[in-house]
Amino acid sequence: MSNRREVLLDAAVRVLGGRGMRALTHRAVDAEAAVPVGSTANYFPNRESLLGAIVERISARERANFEEIARTVSPTTPAELARVLGAAARDAAGVHRELTLARYAILVEAGHNAAIRRRVAENGSRVDAWFAVWLRLIGSHDPGHLHLVANYLTGLILHQLAVPDPAFDPTAMIAGFLESLVAAVGTHESETAGRTI
Amino acid sequence: MSNRREVLLDAAVRVLGGRGMRALTHRAVDAEAAVPVGSTANYFPNRESLLGAIVERISARERANFEEIARTVSPTTPAELARVLGAAARDAAGVHRELTLARYAILVEAGHNAAIRRRVAENGSRVDAWFAVWLRLIGSHDPGHLHLVANYLTGLILHQLAVPDPAFDPTAMIAGFLESLVAAVGTHESETAGRTI
DNA sequence: TGGATGACACTACAGCTGTAGTTTCGCGAT
DNA sequence: ATCGCGAAACTACAGCTGTAGTGTCATCCA
């Protein structure tokens, strides 16, 4: 927080999430962070290094966020897990809107930027680990379920960010989703579920 | 195809999907379309109008794509529907990669651009109509399932675009997903499934 | 025929951006 | 105290971008 580098990176995330990839310039980050012009260019000599550092920063903040959540809850039923994930989704599209938009902008960037793709691949899927833990807690042991949940949440949040629904109620939607998974496991023992990656 | 305006828009989609939001400039579209400098600026006087037209173009092409698919198939079991959606997902992340990446870039843009958000809201969810039709064909009548499927596919494809998995096998994953839905319906009659929007 | 009309091609320019380079400042070691 | 040095602040500049404005040419109607 006090470190100048992190101040600049958090400002960069706000610019990226709030105004998009095109607005992410050295000078815009300087202005957002209220530091003298040139500061960002000194820490991140070119755009690539700035983007790379943003990937790390976003990953770190999301990981910290989920570790905080995991410290306070420990869901053992689908309904409980739905509340946990629902709250996380609501925050992602609400309080953490800019951070989340920045994350999606980075994902799209990874689609046509090999250097960023590599960094995303390295730093990604750390929060997925928590999904895996929680899924095991509610009795889902199919590794395919992890990808189902992760992809579903990704799509859910992206749509809410793009075209917000004022009545967004992620908990109810996720509850239905999880009930389906668990019910299916009870029914035919997961032999048809998605394969591991 | 012969219309100059559409040639420019398709070139714009290739630029947007292939090199990102920052690379989408009048001159870059001119070059991609192999037309004289200034052509794109003549048809789309400012960046907003170009972006807006791109939204329409992408929607139109995706709608046409799904109408073509719907003309040739008519799935009646979860496994059949999984093949249909799996093929669509594979194409979205493969043959139509640039178009799909452009679509996601537009979705992120909608997150911080009110004008684009409005156009996305108007043009969106036309392909969702086909999902709804197909879901009914395989015996799913819960309107919440539509959102489950749409969001899951969105996340699945985005992840594949961002960090491609060479062993990407969407059909198997979607099959597991659909089996879960249908099995859950059979088990407890959908009373817990996600609510309608 | 001829001239008006609109599509297309080209030019101009001010402002912004990435990047390199130089100067100033803060501060611990000597 | 002062010297050294890395961090921070500032300056410079070439290239790109959005936008406005002007010129050219085919086509169609009177």
Side-chain angles (χ1 to χ4, degrees), chain A residues 5 10 40 88 98 109 126-127 134-135 150 189-190 192-193:
Chain A
R5 188 185 146 94
D10 283 339
T40 304
E98 283 183 347
E109 178 76 14
R126 294 295 180 90
V127 313
W134 290 331
L135 280 172
E189 279 309 325
S190 89
T192 59

Side-chain angles (χ1 to χ4, degrees), chain B residues 70-189:
Chain B
R71 201 170 297 125
T72 62
V73 300
S74 155
T76 55
T77 68
E80 276 177 33
L81 179 51
R83 262 196 301 280
V84 172
L85 296 182
R90 184 187 308 279
D91 285 349
V95 197
H96 303 138
R97 180 184 171 81
E98 282 183 349
L99 181 72
T100 315
L101 267 172
R103 195 170 81 87
Y104 282 102
I106 289 289
L107 283 182
V108 172
E109 178 76 13
H112 40 68
N113 183 327
I116 296 302
R117 172 156 53 231
R118 241 172 289 128
R119 294 188 93 117
V120 168
E122 289 162 9
N123 283 280
S125 72
R126 294 295 180 89
V127 311
D128 283 14
W130 287 114
F131 293 172
V133 169
W134 290 331
L135 280 172
R136 273 196 294 278
L137 281 182
I138 68 167
S140 155
H141 297 278
D142 186 329
H145 286 178
L146 170 58
H147 297 94
L148 258 46
V149 170
N151 286 326
Y152 170 62
L153 287 178
T154 295
L156 182 70
I157 294 170
L158 175 55
H159 281 143
Q160 175 64 14
L161 288 171
V163 185
D165 173 8
F168 186 49
D169 186 1
T171 299
M173 296 172 126
I174 296 170
F177 180 81
L178 292 179
E179 294 282 354
S180 296
L181 290 191
V182 175
V185 168
T187 315
H188 50 92
E189 277 310 323

Side-chain angles (χ1 to χ4, degrees), chain A residues 141-145 148 181-196, chain B residues 79 171-173 175-180 183:
Chain A
H141 297 279
D142 186 329
H145 286 177
L148 258 47
L181 290 191
V182 175
V185 167
T187 315
H188 51 88
E189 279 309 325
S190 89
E191 40 91 15
T192 59
R195 84 180 56 255
T196 316
Chain B
T171 299
M173 296 172 126
F177 180 81
L178 292 179
E179 294 282 354
S180 296

Side-chain angles (χ1 to χ4, degrees), chain A residues 4 22 27 36-39 42-43:
Chain A
R4 196 166 192 87
R22 264 177 64 83
R27 286 167 177 81
V37 172
S39 305
N42 277 329
Y43 277 84

Side-chain angles (χ1 to χ4, degrees), chain A residues 12 25 29 32 35 42 49 52 61 72 91 93 108 111 119 121 130 132 136 140 146-147 149 158 160 168 178 190:
Chain A
T25 69
V29 175
E32 175 69 31
V35 297
N42 277 329
S49 72
R61 283 179 60 179
T72 62
D91 286 349
V108 172
R119 293 187 93 118
W130 288 113
R136 273 197 294 277
S140 156
L146 170 60
H147 296 96
V149 170
L158 175 56
Q160 175 64 13
F168 185 49
L178 292 180
S190 89

Side-chain angles (χ1 to χ4, degrees), chain B residues 14-96:
Chain B
R14 285 198 299 277
V15 171
L16 178 55
R19 295 196 276 141
M21 211 69 196
R22 264 177 65 82
L24 185 73
T25 69
H26 283 127
R27 286 167 177 81
V29 175
D30 290 337
E32 175 70 32
V35 297
V37 173
S39 305
T40 304
N42 277 328
Y43 277 84
F44 311 98
N46 53 58
R47 222 169 161 281
E48 279 296 296
S49 71
L50 175 59
L51 268 185
I54 288 177
V55 175
E56 312 278 350
R57 184 76 182 140
I58 291 177
S59 300
R61 284 179 59 179
E62 290 219 320
R63 206 172 332 160
N65 184 26
F66 270 86
E67 278 166 10
E68 174 61 28
I69 293 175
R71 201 170 297 125
T72 62
V73 300
S74 155
T76 55
T77 68
E80 276 177 33
L81 179 51
R83 262 196 301 280
V84 172
L85 296 182
R90 184 187 308 279
D91 285 349
V95 197
H96 303 138

